[in-house]
Each structure stands twice: as C-alpha cells, then as structure tokens.
Coordinates of all heavy atoms in Angstrom, one line a residue:
V1 N 73.6 -64.5 13.9 CA 74.4 -65.6 14.3 C 75.4 -65.0 15.3 O 75.9 -63.9 15.2 CB 75.2 -66.1 13.1 CG1 76.1 -67.2 13.5 CG2 74.2 -66.6 12.0
V2 N 75.7 -65.8 16.3 CA 76.7 -65.4 17.3 C 77.8 -66.5 17.4 O 77.6 -67.7 17.5 CB 76.1 -65.3 18.7 CG1 77.1 -64.9 19.8 CG2 75.0 -64.3 18.7
S3 N 79.1 -66.0 17.3 CA 80.2 -66.9 17.4 C 81.0 -66.5 18.7 O 81.6 -65.4 18.7 CB 81.2 -66.7 16.2 OG 80.5 -67.1 15.0
P4 N 80.9 -67.3 19.7 CA 81.6 -66.9 21.0 C 83.2 -67.0 20.9 O 83.9 -66.4 21.7 CB 81.1 -68.0 22.0 CG 79.8 -68.5 21.4 CD 80.0 -68.4 19.9
H5 N 83.7 -67.8 19.9 CA 85.1 -67.9 19.7 C 85.8 -68.4 21.0 O 86.9 -67.8 21.4 CB 85.7 -66.6 19.2 CG 85.4 -66.2 17.8 ND1 85.9 -66.8 16.7 CD2 84.4 -65.3 17.3 CE1 85.4 -66.3 15.6 NE2 84.5 -65.4 16.0
G6 N 85.3 -69.4 21.6 CA 85.9 -70.0 22.8 C 85.7 -69.2 24.1 O 86.3 -69.7 25.1
M7 N 84.9 -68.2 24.1 CA 84.8 -67.4 25.3 C 83.9 -68.0 26.3 O 83.7 -67.4 27.4 CB 84.3 -66.0 24.9 CG 85.4 -65.2 24.1 SD 84.9 -63.5 23.8 CE 86.3 -62.9 22.9
L8 N 83.3 -69.2 26.0 CA 82.5 -69.9 27.1 C 83.3 -71.1 27.5 O 82.7 -72.0 28.2 CB 81.1 -70.3 26.5 CG 80.2 -69.1 26.3 CD1 78.9 -69.6 25.7 CD2 79.9 -68.4 27.6
E9 N 84.5 -71.2 27.2 CA 85.4 -72.3 27.7 C 85.4 -72.2 29.2 O 85.5 -71.0 29.7 CB 86.8 -72.3 27.1 CG 86.9 -72.7 25.7 CD 87.0 -74.2 25.6 OE1 87.4 -74.9 26.5 OE2 86.5 -74.7 24.5
P10 N 85.4 -73.3 30.0 CA 85.5 -73.2 31.5 C 86.6 -72.3 32.0 O 86.5 -71.5 32.9 CB 85.7 -74.6 31.9 CG 85.0 -75.4 30.8 CD 85.3 -74.7 29.6
W11 N 87.8 -72.4 31.4 CA 89.0 -71.6 31.8 C 88.7 -70.1 31.5 O 89.2 -69.3 32.3 CB 90.3 -72.1 31.2 CG 90.3 -72.0 29.7 CD1 90.0 -73.0 28.8 CD2 90.6 -70.8 28.9 NE1 90.1 -72.5 27.5 CE2 90.5 -71.2 27.6 CE3 91.0 -69.5 29.2 CZ2 90.8 -70.3 26.5 CZ3 91.3 -68.6 28.2 CH2 91.1 -69.0 26.9
A12 N 88.1 -69.9 30.4 CA 87.8 -68.5 30.0 C 86.8 -67.8 31.0 O 86.9 -66.7 31.3 CB 87.3 -68.4 28.6
L13 N 85.8 -68.6 31.4 CA 84.8 -68.1 32.3 C 85.4 -67.8 33.7 O 84.9 -66.9 34.4 CB 83.6 -69.1 32.5 CG 82.8 -69.3 31.2 CD1 81.7 -70.4 31.4 CD2 82.0 -67.9 30.9
K14 N 86.5 -68.5 34.1 CA 87.1 -68.3 35.3 C 88.0 -67.0 35.3 O 88.2 -66.4 36.4 CB 88.0 -69.5 35.7 CG 87.2 -70.7 36.0 CD 88.2 -71.9 36.3 CE 87.4 -73.2 36.6 NZ 88.3 -74.3 36.8
H15 N 88.4 -66.5 34.1 CA 89.1 -65.3 34.0 C 88.2 -64.1 34.1 O 87.2 -64.0 33.3 CB 89.9 -65.3 32.7 CG 90.8 -64.1 32.5 ND1 91.9 -63.8 33.3 CD2 90.6 -63.0 31.7 CE1 92.4 -62.7 32.9 NE2 91.7 -62.2 31.9
S16 N 88.4 -63.2 35.0 CA 87.5 -62.1 35.3 C 86.1 -62.6 35.5 O 85.1 -62.1 34.9 CB 87.5 -61.1 34.1 OG 88.8 -60.5 33.9
A17 N 86.0 -63.6 36.4 CA 84.7 -64.3 36.6 C 83.6 -63.4 37.0 O 82.5 -63.6 36.5 CB 84.9 -65.5 37.5
I18 N 83.9 -62.5 37.9 CA 82.8 -61.7 38.5 C 82.2 -60.8 37.4 O 81.0 -60.6 37.2 CB 83.3 -60.8 39.6 CG1 83.7 -61.7 40.8 CG2 82.3 -59.8 40.1 CD1 84.3 -61.0 42.0
K19 N 83.1 -60.2 36.6 CA 82.7 -59.3 35.5 C 81.8 -60.1 34.5 O 80.8 -59.6 34.0 CB 83.9 -58.8 34.7 CG 83.6 -58.1 33.4 CD 84.8 -57.9 32.6 CE 84.5 -57.5 31.1 NZ 85.7 -57.3 30.3
K20 N 82.2 -61.4 34.2 CA 81.5 -62.2 33.2 C 80.1 -62.6 33.8 O 79.2 -62.7 33.0 CB 82.3 -63.3 32.7 CG 83.5 -62.8 31.8 CD 84.5 -63.9 31.5 CE 85.6 -63.3 30.6 NZ 86.6 -64.3 30.3
R21 N 80.1 -62.9 35.1 CA 78.8 -63.3 35.6 C 77.9 -62.1 35.6 O 76.7 -62.3 35.3 CB 79.0 -63.8 37.1 CG 79.5 -65.3 37.1 CD 79.3 -65.9 38.5 NE 80.1 -65.2 39.5 CZ 81.3 -65.6 39.9 NH1 81.8 -66.7 39.3 NH2 82.0 -65.0 40.8
L22 N 78.4 -61.0 35.9 CA 77.6 -59.7 35.9 C 77.1 -59.5 34.5 O 75.9 -59.2 34.2 CB 78.3 -58.6 36.4 CG 77.6 -57.2 36.5 CD1 76.4 -57.3 37.4 CD2 78.5 -56.1 37.0
A23 N 78.0 -59.5 33.5 CA 77.6 -59.3 32.1 C 76.6 -60.3 31.6 O 75.7 -60.0 30.9 CB 78.9 -59.3 31.2
G24 N 76.8 -61.6 32.1 CA 75.8 -62.6 31.7 C 74.5 -62.3 32.2 O 73.5 -62.5 31.5
W25 N 74.4 -61.9 33.5 CA 73.1 -61.6 34.1 C 72.5 -60.3 33.4 O 71.3 -60.3 33.2 CB 73.3 -61.3 35.6 CG 72.0 -61.0 36.3 CD1 71.1 -61.9 36.7 CD2 71.6 -59.7 36.7 NE1 70.0 -61.2 37.3 CE2 70.3 -59.8 37.3 CE3 72.2 -58.4 36.6 CZ2 69.6 -58.8 37.8 CZ3 71.5 -57.3 37.1 CH2 70.2 -57.5 37.7
C26 N 73.3 -59.3 33.1 CA 72.8 -58.1 32.5 C 72.3 -58.2 31.1 O 71.3 -57.7 30.7 CB 73.8 -57.0 32.7 SG 74.1 -56.4 34.3
F27 N 73.1 -58.9 30.2 CA 72.8 -58.9 28.8 C 73.3 -60.1 28.0 O 72.6 -60.5 27.1 CB 73.4 -57.6 28.1 CG 74.9 -57.5 28.2 CD1 75.8 -58.1 27.3 CD2 75.5 -56.7 29.2 CE1 77.1 -58.0 27.4 CE2 76.9 -56.6 29.3 CZ 77.7 -57.2 28.4
E28 N 74.4 -60.7 28.4 CA 75.0 -61.7 27.5 C 74.2 -63.0 27.4 O 74.0 -63.6 26.3 CB 76.4 -62.0 27.9 CG 77.2 -62.7 26.8 CD 77.4 -61.7 25.6 OE1 78.3 -60.9 25.6 OE2 76.6 -61.9 24.6
R29 N 73.6 -63.5 28.5 CA 72.8 -64.7 28.4 C 71.6 -64.5 27.5 O 71.2 -65.3 26.7 CB 72.4 -65.2 29.8 CG 71.8 -66.5 29.8 CD 71.5 -67.0 31.2 NE 72.8 -67.2 32.0 CZ 73.4 -68.4 31.9 NH1 73.0 -69.4 31.2 NH2 74.5 -68.5 32.7
R30 N 71.0 -63.3 27.6 CA 69.8 -63.0 26.8 C 70.2 -62.9 25.3 O 69.5 -63.3 24.4 CB 69.2 -61.7 27.3 CG 67.9 -61.3 26.5 CD 67.2 -60.1 27.1 NE 68.1 -58.9 27.1 CZ 68.7 -58.4 28.2 NH1 68.5 -59.0 29.4 NH2 69.4 -57.3 28.1
N31 N 71.4 -62.2 25.1 CA 71.9 -62.1 23.7 C 72.0 -63.5 23.1 O 71.7 -63.7 21.9 CB 73.2 -61.4 23.7 CG 73.1 -59.9 24.0 OD1 72.0 -59.4 24.0 ND2 74.2 -59.3 24.3
L32 N 72.6 -64.4 23.8 CA 72.8 -65.8 23.3 C 71.5 -66.5 23.1 O 71.3 -67.3 22.1 CB 73.8 -66.5 24.2 CG 75.3 -66.0 24.2 CD1 76.0 -66.6 25.4 CD2 76.0 -66.5 22.9
Q33 N 70.6 -66.4 24.1 CA 69.4 -67.1 24.0 C 68.4 -66.6 22.9 O 67.5 -67.4 22.5 CB 68.7 -67.0 25.4 CG 69.3 -67.8 26.5 CD 68.7 -67.6 27.8 OE1 68.1 -66.5 28.1 NE2 68.9 -68.6 28.7
T34 N 68.6 -65.4 22.4 CA 67.8 -64.9 21.4 C 68.4 -65.0 20.0 O 67.8 -64.5 19.0 CB 67.4 -63.4 21.7 OG1 68.6 -62.7 21.9 CG2 66.6 -63.3 23.0
A35 N 69.6 -65.5 19.9 CA 70.2 -65.7 18.6 C 69.5 -66.7 17.8 O 68.9 -67.6 18.3 CB 71.7 -66.1 18.7
D36 N 69.5 -66.5 16.4 CA 68.9 -67.5 15.5 C 69.8 -68.7 15.4 O 69.3 -69.8 15.2 CB 68.6 -66.9 14.2 CG 67.6 -65.8 14.3 OD1 66.4 -66.1 14.4 OD2 68.0 -64.6 14.2
C37 N 71.1 -68.6 15.5 CA 72.0 -69.7 15.4 C 73.3 -69.3 16.2 O 73.7 -68.2 16.2 CB 72.3 -70.0 13.9 SG 73.4 -71.4 13.6
L38 N 73.9 -70.4 16.8 CA 75.1 -70.2 17.5 C 76.2 -71.0 16.7 O 75.9 -72.0 16.1 CB 75.1 -70.8 18.9 CG 74.0 -70.2 19.8 CD1 73.9 -70.9 21.1 CD2 74.3 -68.7 20.1
H39 N 77.4 -70.4 16.6 CA 78.5 -71.0 15.8 C 79.5 -71.5 16.8 O 80.1 -70.7 17.6 CB 79.0 -69.9 14.8 CG 80.4 -70.4 14.2 ND1 81.4 -69.5 14.1 CD2 80.8 -71.6 13.8 CE1 82.4 -70.1 13.5 NE2 82.1 -71.4 13.4
A40 N 79.8 -72.8 16.7 CA 80.9 -73.4 17.5 C 82.0 -73.8 16.6 O 81.8 -74.3 15.5 CB 80.4 -74.6 18.3
L41 N 83.2 -73.7 17.1 CA 84.4 -74.1 16.3 C 84.7 -75.6 16.3 O 85.3 -76.2 15.4 CB 85.6 -73.4 16.7 CG 85.6 -71.9 16.6 CD1 86.8 -71.2 17.3 CD2 85.5 -71.4 15.1
C42 N 84.1 -76.3 17.3 CA 84.4 -77.7 17.5 C 83.3 -78.3 18.3 O 82.5 -77.6 18.9 CB 85.7 -78.0 18.0 SG 86.0 -77.3 19.7
A43 N 83.2 -79.6 18.5 CA 82.2 -80.3 19.3 C 82.3 -79.9 20.7 O 81.3 -79.7 21.4 CB 82.3 -81.8 19.1

C-alpha cells in the first residue's frame, strides 16, 4: 500500500518541480503504478 500524504497535490508538485519530475521518471511513477492499493486522505 502506498500513502502519498498529499505529495501529489498540484502545489506540492510545483515545489522542487525538476527534482520531482526526474524522480517520477526514474522510479516514483513505477512505484505507484505497481502498488496493490493507493491510500488517499480525501476525495
């Protein structure tokens, strides 16, 4: 299970945006796509 804890909020993605785009390309998008379940705090 993966809990992002708000780290995919639009404002959060804009903070250190280059680092997060690089991390997403290298590993994070794959980590999220292969999780069995994602946990969100709200709709």
